[in-house]
Amino acid sequence: MALTPGTRVGVYEVTAPIGEGGMGQVYRARDTRLNRDVALKILPNAFASDPDRLARFTREAQTLASLNHSNIAAIYGIEESGDVRALVMELVEGEDLSQRIARGAIPLDETLPIARQIADALEAAHEQRIIHRDLKPANIKVRPDGTVKVLDFGLAKAMDPVGTSTADLTNSPTLMVRATQLGVILGTAAYMAPEQARGRAVDKRVDIWAFGCVVYEMLTGRVAFAAETVSDTVVAVLSREPEWRALPDTVSPVLLSVLKRCLQKDQNLRMRDIVDARFQIEDGLNVPVPAQPTSRGRTRVGYAGWVVAALLAIAAATAISRGPGAPADAPEMRLQIATPPADDSFSFAISPDGRSVVAQGRAEGEFKLWLRPLESEVGRPLIGTEDATFPFWSPDSRSIGFFAGGRLKRIDLASGFVRTLASAPNPRRGAWNSEGTIIFGASVGPLYKVPADGGAVTEATNLLPGQAGHRWPQFLPDGRRFLLFAMGAANVRGVYLGSLADKEVRRVLETDSAFAFMSPAYLVLARQGALWAQRLTADLTRPDGELLPLASRVLVHPTHNGFAALFSSSVGSVAYRTSAENRQLVWLDRAGRQVGDMGPPDDAQPFLSQMSSDGGTVAVRRTVSGNTDVWLIDTTRGVPRRVTFDPAIEGEPIFSPDGKRVVYVSDRKVNIWDMYERSADGNGGETLLFESGENKHPLDWSSDGRYILYQSDSPKTDADLWALPLAGDRKQVAVAQTPFDEVDGRFSPDGRWVAYVSNEGGRNEIYVQPFPDPGSKSQVSVGGGTTPRWRRDGRELFYIAPDSHLMAVSITPRESALGAAAPFALFTSPKAVGYEPSRDGQRFLVNAVVSDASPITIILNWKPSGR
């Protein structure tokens, strides 16, 4: 039964047809309750008259809805309206692989990232004992940003067979005729494994067969087992081999072997696990993929803003190609690269060979790493690097290390394969040597080392007395020694030299700023907002000569102890930024319309922390003349007032319930974040409220004034939530302490609940649990969430969804449990770094980014004056 635009199926309003296949008709529809677009798959009419089949389908769909993976299109539920039964699914924009292949074979460097994501989806499903059974190009979509979404996961099992026929063998009956009472042929003929075609019992190896068929078709542009009829196609599957000579010359012997093992007709000889396929592809593709022409009709995914003037790009490529042995008369050059909008202006790196830049950027509502070769005018997002920070390169420039979700990860550029190497809470960048060792730092503690293929994490350095932590490591050219920045008192902080041979470190230079090593023998330092070059002795152990100017401005982090937006390559080029995003505090209504502001855009990088309980004042962190302090801003007049004045960093302020006092952190004691308290009017002295050996971050003050909720960064259990009593023995109470991250907690207005973010389920979700008495927690977000905030009367809880929608959850107070309704979207939040709801929840103060960070500047062939 065809549906017309405007037809309602429950709460879903049909807006347009999408397509039709063996599983039913598919429509784009609007969810009028949650205000989002979805896909409606209208199930065949046979279901309406067969209660047993409908019940079986419902049970299977419930199982499939449990799949939660970025490469699997989500199932939201089943909707019934009259005699119409519809499956409600995630709407995935973009073309499917069958449409893409129709234009011709896909180049190897495009095929591999797609194949890797398909394998990730299969792996996630197989771990839950779910088999797709109908994997084919038409069931695989590629979004405009390159993200792959596998559709119709497991529906071949959920549906009973329907006897249909078609002449299109690549989309032949998804559910074929019943073979026997006991055996049913399920699947699309051209992609069915032999045991599937014979109607025998199947397991996950049928998906591995189909995976091989799909990859073969992407690389060749032709179906692996093509014939004129369904019967002939089944015969081909059972008796013929694919035309292996049709594969392009760029396919390596390892990849060819993987495809042949995937397409073994004897399932006992076939590759048994999709993980093996992914690993072997990755292991066999450490050699660069040969350049392949791109047709005019096909453009690679990229960000149009990554454009450099053609003359500069050509000149840069020429200069880089000279390498370290560039002629003495090679001119100094400086070029700029505009990058996509980023959440972290400091997360970028130039490759060791000086030919590429990787930087964090926003794509399809998510922050990912973007790769930009300097010889190219466009960049591309790296799938699997969502929320990545502090990227760094392998010495051969073929892989990138990064941190995400409290883990150290790596992505290999040839295959797009991403793997997790180690736990790394609160990271402070890493470095990678030619022997396959990665060293990385944390907010406190020594440097750590781990094999680049993963393995045991061990300490790489020893802290000296008075030092709080080692961070920002960088290997020297010999690959055994490295430089690091040590935090601590003035007599022990600075740039240190370490070695993999032992854990001892030796100070090279006293400084309070981060650095980059510029070959052959210079340190690049950020001092007083400018870049300077310091020559070292030939053994790289101490300074040699005076500071030399390199650039008049550089972006310095407001809280990371002198860390600058600065990176260098092995060939002597230096990359840096001069400014971060410009921000403005603006008021938005519940529809997302701007209804006011709190002054003009502010280049002091205000970071919104909290609004007072009466709504009259907001507390922010601002950086003025290089000094980061706590400021309070009147919400009516928009006038900022400074509250702290110490030369150290102060930030993360929260208000007491009456708004008369503030608690904040400062790193003035050996660079550990301790909590301080003082009057909100700035008068009088401050009090050290709480100190310990771990970094602490105040989050909220309970309405009865008895507790302060704070986050503690533990090297053993990552980020945890604690409550600090303000009376009695002040022994802190664990609120949420697990091996996962628990962050951004807020007390409910009545003090009975704590809302917070946890990644225990594989992604950030919002949970609420009782306080102070322990009890079971409840998940209130759906599909991910961060930044929970309560309405002042406790009747609503807000959060930010992964697609940047500001979500609202209606709360019904109960005696023993939290009554939370289904979340609904208010509006898409602008690019922002924090928000606070008004007392009545009708307006939102948003810390909006109104201009992007400065471009990345790259210095080539720098030569000191007079040398």
Side-chain angles (χ1 to χ4, degrees), residues 141-173:
K141 276 200 168 187
V142 182
R143 295 193 324 194
D145 68 348
T147 301
V148 169
K149 289 283 188 176
V150 180
L151 313 178
D152 286 351
F153 227 109
L155 291 188
K157 180 182 180 183
M159 302 277 285
D160 264 347
V162 177
T164 60
S165 63
T166 178
D168 180 4
L169 300 184
T170 63
N171 193 30
S172 59

Side-chain angles (χ1 to χ4, degrees), residues 834-850:
Y835 76 100
E836 284 287 305
S838 62
R839 286 179 55 84
D840 60 5
Q842 299 304 303
R843 297 190 304 162
F844 301 88
L845 186 63
V846 176
N847 200 174
V849 175
V850 296

Side-chain angles (χ1 to χ4, degrees), residues 310-579:
L311 182 60
L312 282 178
I314 295 171
T318 302
I320 292 169
S321 66
R322 296 188 183 116
D329 60 350
E332 178 181 327
M333 296 182 57
R334 302 192 182 208
L335 62 115
Q336 292 186 334
I337 298 175
T339 63
D343 182 52
D344 183 359
S345 303
F346 296 81
S347 287
F348 69 90
I350 188 169
S351 61
D353 61 13
R355 295 180 177 273
S356 300
V357 169
V358 63
Q360 188 197 73
R362 190 180 184 92
E364 297 290 324
E366 296 179 310
F367 291 104
K368 303 177 182 177
L369 295 181
W370 285 70
L371 177 66
R372 160 67 192 277
L374 297 190
E375 294 91 342
S376 172
E377 292 185 354
V378 295
R380 63 180 175 91
L382 299 178
I383 308 304
T385 63
E386 289 75 16
D387 297 321
T389 60
F390 299 130
F392 58 97
W393 290 82
S394 63
D396 59 8
S397 301
R398 295 177 180 173
S399 302
I400 296 170
F402 62 94
F403 301 89
R407 302 291 184 267
L408 168 63
K409 302 183 178 183
R410 64 178 277 186
I411 179 170
D412 300 310
L413 299 179
S415 64
F417 175 58
V418 177
R419 70 178 84 173
T420 297
L421 304 180
S423 175
N426 309 301
R428 295 297 184 266
R429 212 164 72 180
W432 192 333
N433 75 356
S434 57
E435 297 179 357
T437 297
I438 291 176
I439 54 177
F440 62 96
S443 58
V444 295
L447 291 184
Y448 299 91
K449 62 181 178 180
V450 64
D453 290 325
V457 177
T458 57
E459 294 185 357
T461 59
N462 289 329
L463 295 178
L464 298 179
Q467 290 181 343
H470 293 163
R471 52 176 62 175
W472 323 129
Q474 186 171 354
F475 275 107
L476 292 173
D478 60 20
R480 298 294 298 171
R481 296 182 298 165
F482 52 86
L483 297 172
L484 61 92
F485 177 69
M487 303 182 302
N491 64 319
V492 291
R493 71 180 174 217
V495 178
Y496 279 72
L497 179 67
S499 172
L500 293 178
D502 54 46
K503 298 181 182 180
E504 304 308 312
V505 295
R506 170 185 174 184
R507 187 155 71 171
V508 175
L509 181 70
E510 191 282 320
T511 182
D512 58 2
S513 72
F515 68 94
F517 177 77
M518 183 169 59
S519 183
Y522 281 90
L523 285 180
V524 180
L525 303 169
R527 289 189 173 179
Q528 299 178 332
L531 276 184
W532 302 82
Q534 172 66 68
R535 186 178 179 87
L536 300 178
T537 55
D539 60 1
L540 308 179
T541 60
R542 60 186 184 277
D544 181 18
E546 60 183 2
L547 285 173
L548 302 173
L550 196 65
S552 59
R553 291 184 60 196
V554 67
L555 173 63
V556 177
H557 201 285
T559 62
H560 283 355
N561 302 96
F563 179 54
L566 172 66
F567 217 94
S568 62
S569 74
S570 298
V571 296
S573 50
V574 174
Y576 67 96
R577 290 190 196 269
T578 59
S579 65

